[in-house]
Amino acid sequence: MQFSKKRTLWLTLIILLAFGLRLYRSGTYGIYLDEKYTMVISQGIVMEGSNQHDVFFMPGKTYFTPAEFWSPKTIHDFIEANIRGDIGNSPAYYAVLWGWMKVFGLSDFSARFPSVLFSTLLVGLVYIFVRRHFRSESLALLSALIAAVEPFFIAYSHMARNYSFSFFLTLLATHLFLLLLERARNQQKTGGLFVAYGLTFVLSLLSHYLTITVFLCHGIYMLLYVRKPRLWVSFSAVALIGVAVVSLWFIFGAGKYTFQTLAYQAQVYRQAALTNPYNNGFGIILPATIRTVTERSLPIWADLFILSNGLGQIDTLGVRNLLLALVFGLGAGWLLSRYVRRADVPTWVVPVYLALLLIGLPFYTVMKPQYVVVAALPSFAYLLYWALRDDTTREQRPFLVLVTLLAVVPTLFLLLMSFRNGHTYGITQRYSGFSFPYTALLVALILQRMAKLPMAFRVVLVAVTILQGVLVAQLLNRIYDDSAPKYTYFGRPRGPNPHYLVAQKIKEQYAPGDTVLYPSVRLSFRDEVEKTYWPYSIQDAQLTNLYLPKDAAYLQRMDTTQADRIILVKGRTGEKITLFDLDGKTHRY
């Protein structure tokens, strides 16, 4: 298919939109706990200093300096930091981030920018993927536009974490997988593509272990549709070589502790679910029953599709209201399916259809526009069924089966693991985020079919879609304001990074003879991985030193008499200047 100037312009605008939405306010808020671990792991530093004995824990040594903090690190330091900070997960991402910050410097914005970049590249890859395998440029542009404004992608592009990197790699792997099958059918050379697929397989698994669910979908697809023994041999060889390469990390690197740590965590979370589900320090963790897993997974399923985003919140929308909206919606969906294909739609049909979408409003316990969208969901589902049946060719059906597998299997895997481990802690949107590129395509099919409806039906459903668009825009605004807990983890907005602010003050105000005092919070260890060599936290000192010059000789020490204030003690006068009051957990995000 050839690019036209018009299509190129539209794609360029979509990519620019995606980049702008991801870049906007990406460096506004202070890094949260997981990002703090990202920062130290990428520099080969273990949080709480188990590989910095000579800096913090040397007997008789009272002071330390940034130059000592930044002493050269070995590969063993990076491995230990990965073990203790991220159970041996995501080494490929940390390697990329280390290289990135070597070139562009160490800052919160610099650490987050690879996520912005890969999330933007993902939008372009969605376009390439759909255009190449569905053979529809308009559908590819629409899919890319949906990916560009997807709140999940935007929220995670603001985090110095591996997720955007993993989402890009897994979509690239699926693209290469389909190209391989196509070339094999056409008896073309596949050697280079197999190498690329194998490399992407390895990088994906080493970016996040749960990417295995994507390759599981590839395997299921082969079982359903691939009958050539030579292809099976080739893919098996690539898989075996890839697993062998990844196994090196499990044998010689931090991965050897992964399964041990996961088993321990499963035990801890299961115990918390059984004994203290609501006040355990980890969040709400419930025992895994059909009811609890269904309730926790419903928002995950709903938010996978931008047309149903936010409609799975049982606690705010209410089960009764949702069921009532769906009952009316099923009636509207039946009316749509009954009359939409008729050339002479009776004049009463569309008013009744609209009434079914709105009639529940007086009966809901709260008046919310979300219920109108909920009532339209059966109609959207019918449009998807219609599009899959009538707007696709026989040759495209296997591709759509793969897309459907990729849209649902990662979440199903989470539910299976929830039942296996006995708790609901792992039912989290980010762990099945690999599905979003494919759900964007399914939503694009719905919208494309909507455009072909008779005018009256089209006006009604376009209005509902605009209403949902307004709701999504409000969600994006909350994400930018750092007040969308599901996406940003915070209901109350964070301030700027306090440790970065303190580092700037130290650079401005420090004079020879001064001393910087760091607060020390009493630690409580849960296992040997967490255990350090001092009963007090040195985290505030470590996080501040990340932003100090690597050759600086500022005298610093820990202050075990208080737990909140970072203080500069002037050497000549003994004056104590509070550089920042962390106020307990208020500024320790």
Side-chain angles (χ1 to χ4, degrees), residues 279-293:
N279 190 26
N280 50 57
F282 301 107
I284 298 176
I285 307 177
L286 302 173
T289 65
I290 293 177
R291 178 177 177 177
T292 59
V293 170

Side-chain angles (χ1 to χ4, degrees), residues 71-90:
S71 60
K73 302 297 185 293
T74 67
I75 186 64
H76 298 291
D77 289 312
F78 284 91
I79 290 174
E80 183 180 359
N82 197 197
I83 290 170
R84 293 180 178 273
D86 202 1
I87 68 167
N89 199 6
S90 309

